[in-house]
């Protein structure tokens, strides 16, 4: 409100106009190509970035980063308004012109306007601990150092805990999933490229349906694409056993390690694919492939 009032009041000044327009444009661009409000994406509402995001170079940009530059433009706009407000206030109220009173009043008002956005300490959130039995399961599997492993849940950009477990324990050496900036099918860059294969998303959905049997520490987060309450939830028709086996073979993994308990949806599904687990340790079940 303060910036809007300042921009309107001193619009005739070129620096004010330049900073105000830059701030507004960058903030709109930071919203992305479609409107995301209250945790839900309204794909039918197209924003200006929608028509720019497919252009060369711009296709690799992360639109939410525009808000960082917009903050700088907002700070410059506030400074320009303060600079213009001091002589304007002194001219209207001559008694404030003496002793720098006008500058003190305007500076004080600017400080009060900025106080609500002064950075506070970042909130501390406890990381999900390594699942009981994770290290013991890999110890029992005794895989070669070069062996690849499919861990379920499959890590992705919206659910990275398995990557943390790998970093904390050093197991496994090679893990399916993760995230990166890469080209999608249309040749443009996206996080995860074309995304997790259908088989991987199906495994994450089955894992989500098995959460009721897991410790509370593991139910604090689920893969975004596997959360039925999420706007990006993908309802995938049951992947055939042949398709799943073909995808796992394409990943060239030596084992499938699932954070899951017996008699869960996921455990029964993996048992139907690979037979009885080779290792059961804590909340971890593992199959050699």
């Amino acid at each position: 409100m303060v910036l809007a009032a300042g921009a309107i009041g001193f619009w005739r000044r070129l620096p004010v106009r330049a900073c105000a327009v830059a701030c507004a444009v960058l903030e709109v661009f930071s919203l992305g190509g479609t409107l995301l409000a209250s945790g839900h994406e309204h794909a039918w509402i197209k924003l200006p970035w929608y028509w720019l995001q497919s252009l060369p170079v711009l296709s690799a940009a992360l639109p939410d980063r525009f808000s960082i530059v917009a903050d700088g433009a907002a700070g410059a706009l506030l400074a320009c308004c303060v600079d213009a407000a001091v002589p304007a206030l002194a001219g209207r109220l001559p008694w404030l012109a003496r002793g720098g009173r006008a500058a003190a009043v305007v500076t004080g008002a600017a400080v009060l306007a900025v106080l609500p956005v002064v950075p506070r300490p970042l909130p501390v959130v406890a990381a999900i601990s390594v699942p009981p039995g994770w290290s013991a399961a890999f110890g029992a599997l005794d895989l070669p150092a070069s062996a690849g492993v499919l861990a379920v849940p499959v890590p992705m950009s919206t659910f990275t805990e398995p990557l943390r477990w790998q970093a904390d324990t050093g197991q496994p050496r090679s893990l399916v999933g993760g995230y990166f900036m890469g080209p999608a099918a249309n040749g443009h860059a996206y996080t995860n490229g074309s995304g997790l294969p259908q088989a991987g998303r199906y495994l994450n959905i089955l894992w989500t349906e098995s959460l009721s049997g897991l410790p509370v520490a593991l139910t604090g987060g689920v893969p975004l694409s596997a959360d039925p309450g999420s706007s990006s939830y993908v309802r995938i028709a049951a992947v055939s056993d042949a398709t799943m086996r073909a995808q796992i073979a394409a990943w060239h993994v030596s084992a499938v390690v699932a954070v899951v308990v017996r008699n869960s949806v996921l455990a029964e599904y993996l048992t139907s694919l690979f037979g009885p687990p080779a290792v059961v340790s804590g909340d971890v079940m593992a199959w050699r492939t």
Side-chain angles (χ1 to χ4, degrees):
M1 293 298 292
V2 173
L3 290 179
I8 293 172
F10 302 108
W11 185 253
R12 292 185 177 182
R13 287 176 168 249
L14 178 60
V16 171
R17 291 201 303 273
C19 291
V21 171
C23 181
V25 170
L26 290 169
E27 289 289 8
V28 172
F29 281 171
S30 72
L31 298 176
T34 55
L35 181 63
L36 176 65
S38 301
H40 298 283
E41 184 174 359
H42 305 278
W44 59 276
I45 300 179
K46 302 296 190 294
L47 301 176
W49 186 250
Y50 178 83
W51 288 275
L52 299 175
Q53 61 186 0
S54 60
L55 296 178
V57 180
L58 294 181
S59 63
L62 298 177
D64 56 350
R65 303 293 173 83
F66 285 120
S67 62
I68 300 174
V69 187
D71 290 342
L77 175 58
L78 180 62
C80 291
C81 291
V82 168
D83 183 62
V86 172
L89 184 63
R92 292 197 176 190
L93 301 173
W95 62 274
L96 286 177
R98 296 188 298 270
R101 294 175 183 175
V105 170
V106 173
T107 301
V111 170
L112 291 176
V114 170
L115 281 179
V117 296
V118 171
R120 294 178 296 178
L122 292 174
V124 177
V125 178
I128 298 178
S129 60
V130 177
W134 179 271
S135 296
F138 283 104
L141 286 172
D142 192 24
L143 300 172
S146 60
V149 172
L150 170 62
V152 185
V154 185
M156 52 196 298
S157 61
T158 55
F159 188 76
T160 59
E161 274 69 13
L163 302 179
R164 187 187 302 276
W165 304 336
Q166 180 193 40
D168 288 346
T169 64
Q171 295 288 351
R173 294 289 184 87
S174 179
L175 187 66
V176 171
Y179 65 98
F180 64 100
M181 288 296 295
N186 59 6
H188 298 301
Y190 293 98
T191 302
N192 289 344
S194 294
L196 196 64
Q198 187 181 49
R201 288 182 286 162
Y202 184 64
L203 289 174
N204 277 351
I205 290 173
L206 293 182
W207 184 80
T208 303
E209 294 178 355
S210 304
L211 284 178
S212 59
L214 295 177
V216 176
L218 292 181
T219 60
V222 298
L224 185 59
S225 68
D227 180 3
S230 166
S231 60
S232 61
Y233 177 67
V234 180
R235 291 190 177 276
I236 304 174
V239 176
S240 68
D241 291 354
T243 299
M244 182 61 71
R245 289 194 179 96
Q247 180 60 70
I248 292 176
W251 279 325
H252 301 292
V253 296
S254 299
V256 175
V257 178
V259 179
V260 72
V261 294
R262 286 183 181 273
N263 303 320
S264 65
V265 175
L266 178 60
E268 292 180 355
Y269 176 73
L270 292 176
T271 300
S272 71
L273 283 178
F274 306 112
V279 176
V280 178
S281 177
D283 297 316
V284 177
M285 301 175 70
W287 292 260
R288 293 187 177 89
T289 59

